[in-house]
C-alpha cells in the first residue's frame, strides 16, 4: 500500500473546550511546535472561536475546521451555521457526523450525508466520522455498520468530490475512554473503509482518500497506529488540547 498517494492529516477536535482567550493561548503555543510538520495539521475549536483562530493561524501551516456544519445555506435554523458562514471566516475543514453529534443531537446517517454534501459543495473538506459502539463491536457487526455509515454518508458524491473528503474511523468505545483500539483493530476497519471506497469509486480514487483513526490517540500510541498502511492520520480529542502531546502526534505522522 503506497501511502504517498494521500495526505497524512492530523486534526484536533477541541470539542466544547476553551474560551476565546484560552483558544488564543493554545494556538500561540501550538504554532511553533507544528511549524515543521510534514503532514497537514487542522484544529477545530468551538464555533464561536473559529474566526479568531483562522486569523491567528493565517500564513501558518495550521488550518482551521469546524466541529459541525448545517446543510442549508441560510434560513430559519436556530443555532446552526452554514458553509458560507464558515468559508467567510477562513475555515477550511468541517467535521461531520461525530459520534457525539449522533448520540446527543440526533444526527443520522442521512443528515451526515446532507451536511457533508453542503461542506464539499462549498469547497470545504469534510471529515466524515464513522464508527461502532462497544455493543455493536461485540455483536460482530463493526464492518457491516461502518460500511453502511460510509456509503450513506457519501450518497451523491462523485469521484471528484472525494478529493474533499476525509473519513475518520472513530470507535465510540475508544472516545475519551483512554481505551484505544489496537493498531491492528484500527487497520482492519480503515482497510474495510478503503475497500468500500474502492467499490464505489475504483481503487485509484480510494487510494487517494485520507482515512483517519480517532479514539484516545495520544503521544505514546500515535506512531504505532499511524504505521499501519491504511491509517493515514488522526482525529484527536483530549490530546489535542495539550500542545506538546499534539505536537508529538504531528511528529509521528511526519515521518
Ligand atoms: P479522544 O481523543 O479524547 O478520545 O477523542 C477522540 C475524538 O472524538 C475526536 O473526534
Amino acid at each position: 500500500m503506497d501511502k504517498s498517494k494521500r495526505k497524512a492529516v492530523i486534526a484536533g477536535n477541541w470539542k466544547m473546550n476553551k474560551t476565546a482567550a484560552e483558544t488564543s493561548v493554545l494556538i500561540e503555543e501550538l504554532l511553533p511546535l507544528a511549524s515543521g510538520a510534514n503532514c497537514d495539521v487542522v484544529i477545530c475549536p468551538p464555533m464561536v472561536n473559529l474566526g479568531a483562530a483562522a486569523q491567528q493561524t493565517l500564513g501558518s501551516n495550521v488550518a482551521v475546521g469546524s466541529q459541525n456544519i448545517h446543510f442549508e445555506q441560510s434560513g430559519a435554523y436556530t443555532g446552526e451555521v452554514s458553509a458560507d458562514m464558515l468559508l467567510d471566516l477562513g475555515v477550511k475543514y468541517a467535521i461531520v457526523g461525530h459520534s457525539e453529534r449522533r448520540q446527543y443531537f440526533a444526527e443520522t446517517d442521512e443528515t451526515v450525508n446532507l451536511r457533508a454534501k453542503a461542506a464539499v459543495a462549498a469547497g470545504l473538506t469534510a471529515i466524515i466520522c464513522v464508527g461502532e459502539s462497544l455493543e455493536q463491536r461485540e455483536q460482530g457487526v463493526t464492518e457491516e455498520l461502518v460500511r453502511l455509515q460510509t456509503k450513506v454518508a457519501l450518497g451523491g458524491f462523485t469521484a471528484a468530490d472525494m478529493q474533499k473528503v476525509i473519513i475518520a474511523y472513530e470507535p465510540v468505545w475508544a472516545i475519551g475512554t483512554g481505551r484505544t483500539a489496537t493498531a491492528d483493530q484500527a487497520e482492519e476497519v480503515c482497510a474495510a473503509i478503503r475497500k468500500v471506497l474502492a467499490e464505489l469509486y475504483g481503487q485509484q480514487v480510494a487510494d487517494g482518500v485520507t482515512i483517519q483513526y480517532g479514539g484516545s490517540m495520544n503521544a505514546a500510541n500515535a506512531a504505532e497506529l499511524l504505521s499501519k498502511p491504511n491509517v493515514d492520520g488522526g482525529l484527536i480529542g483530549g490530546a489535542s488540547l495539550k500542545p506538546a502531546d499534539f505536537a508529538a502526534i504531528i511528529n509521528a505522522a511526519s515521518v
Side-chain angles (χ1 to χ4, degrees), residues 11-13 15 95 98-100 129 170 174-178 214-218 235-240:
N13 175 8
K15 308 191 180 181
I95 298 173
H98 191 280
S99 62
E100 287 149 16
C129 303
E170 296 210 314
I175 294 176
T177 58
S216 300
M217 193 188 257
N218 59 37
L235 185 54
I236 327 297
S240 72

Side-chain angles (χ1 to χ4, degrees), residues 147-175:
R147 281 179 63 87
L148 186 72
Q149 289 176 330
T150 305
K151 274 191 168 180
V152 178
L154 294 175
F157 278 67
T158 64
D161 290 334
M162 294 308 291
Q163 290 173 15
K164 289 283 192 182
V165 169
I166 292 172
I167 308 286
Y169 167 54
E170 296 210 314
V172 178
W173 48 272
I175 294 176

Side-chain angles (χ1 to χ4, degrees), residues 96 108-118 152-157:
V96 179
T108 64
D109 289 337
E110 287 72 27
T111 56
V112 170
N113 173 243
L114 292 174
R115 290 181 202 273
K117 274 205 283 218
V152 178
L154 294 175
F157 278 67

Side-chain angles (χ1 to χ4, degrees), residues 7-169:
K7 286 184 199 160
V9 183
I10 297 296
N13 175 8
W14 293 11
K15 308 191 180 181
M16 198 172 70
N17 293 293
K18 304 295 174 186
T19 62
E22 290 165 349
T23 295
S24 174
V25 170
L26 185 46
I27 291 173
E28 198 172 306
E29 287 172 352
L30 179 64
L31 287 180
L33 296 174
S35 64
N38 190 24
C39 65
D40 288 1
V41 180
V42 184
I43 54 168
C44 304
M47 284 283 188
V48 287
N49 300 331
L50 289 176
Q55 285 297 316
Q56 199 179 343
T57 53
L58 211 62
S60 80
N61 63 325
V62 175
V64 171
S66 66
Q67 298 174 19
N68 189 24
I69 183 171
H70 197 257
F71 35 87
E72 295 294 347
Q73 285 184 326
S74 63
Y77 301 99
T78 302
E80 292 288 327
V81 172
S82 73
D84 286 347
M85 294 171 189
L86 295 170
L87 276 179
D88 187 45
L89 294 179
V91 169
K92 305 278 189 234
Y93 293 77
I95 298 173
V96 179
H98 191 280
S99 62
E100 287 149 16
R101 300 236 29 111
R102 294 177 190 256
Q103 187 178 349
Y104 304 128
F105 304 102
E107 198 79 68
T108 64
D109 289 337
E110 287 72 27
T111 56
V112 170
N113 173 243
L114 292 174
R115 290 181 202 273
K117 274 205 283 218
V120 171
L124 295 164
T125 295
I127 301 177
I128 300 173
C129 303
V130 296
E132 82 288 1
S133 66
L134 186 57
E135 199 181 20
Q136 289 162 336
R137 173 159 285 267
E138 285 169 351
Q139 281 176 333
V141 300
T142 297
E143 189 169 327
E144 277 170 79
L145 181 93
V146 168
R147 281 179 63 87
L148 186 72
Q149 289 176 330
T150 305
K151 274 191 168 180
V152 178
L154 294 175
F157 278 67
T158 64
D161 290 334
M162 294 308 291
Q163 290 173 15
K164 289 283 192 182
V165 169
I166 292 172
I167 308 286
Y169 167 54

